[in-house]
Amino acid sequence: MNGKWDVAVLPKCPDPADGDGRAVISNSVSYATSAEGENHDIAMDFLAFLGSEEGQRIQGESGVAIPAYNGLEDTWVQSFADQGYEVNVGNLIEQFDYSVKYVNNASRRVWEPEVEQTVLDIYAGTLTVDEGIQQMQDEVTQAIADQ
């Protein structure tokens, strides 16, 4: 697949909240451990290491994830080039300034399947984009209210 796909910066388009702008969805990698594990101290030390500059650099250089440690994003981008992949993953980094955190709350299990179906309905042409966006907003708002 090398050279047969790429990553593009999303075009600027109307923003329903502010009238004009752009946004992309961002998520993150999280690490956790049980509060009562047999080796809790060791696990906590390991979690602290994963969040350190050194741990984040290893994750970036290995291509596992874009480091959350500011200034190490390019280690992840370089990992693709080091492996010989011809893909502009740096375009993902370029979009950080206007990325919006992906919602992850207790109601997600309720609204996520509904939102996914709404997206499919938009793609199928059974809903307009504006109708679908409103429907998705209503689904998320209702699921949060029902918590």
Side-chain angles (χ1 to χ4, degrees), residues 60-140:
E61 289 173 350
S62 67
V64 169
I66 302 171
Y69 202 95
N70 287 335
L72 293 180
E73 302 86 359
D74 288 339
T75 61
W76 181 79
V77 173
Q78 187 60 44
S79 73
F80 283 80
D82 291 347
Q83 294 296 319
Y85 294 116
E86 301 169 17
V87 60
N88 293 309
V89 293
N91 286 338
L92 297 170
I93 308 302
E94 186 177 317
Q95 297 177 87
F96 279 177
D97 289 341
Y98 49 87
S99 65
V100 177
K101 181 80 171 130
Y102 187 70
V103 177
N104 190 12
N105 59 28
S107 66
R108 179 177 171 185
R109 64 179 178 75
V110 174
W111 61 258
E112 188 170 45
E114 301 297 326
V115 166
E116 288 174 355
Q117 182 57 54
T118 302
V119 170
L120 293 174
D121 292 342
I122 292 170
Y123 288 153
T126 58
L127 282 176
T128 68
V129 172
D130 289 340
E131 291 168 336
I133 289 171
Q134 185 60 57
Q135 184 171 316
M136 287 185 279
Q137 182 62 59
D138 293 345
E139 290 162 349
V140 172

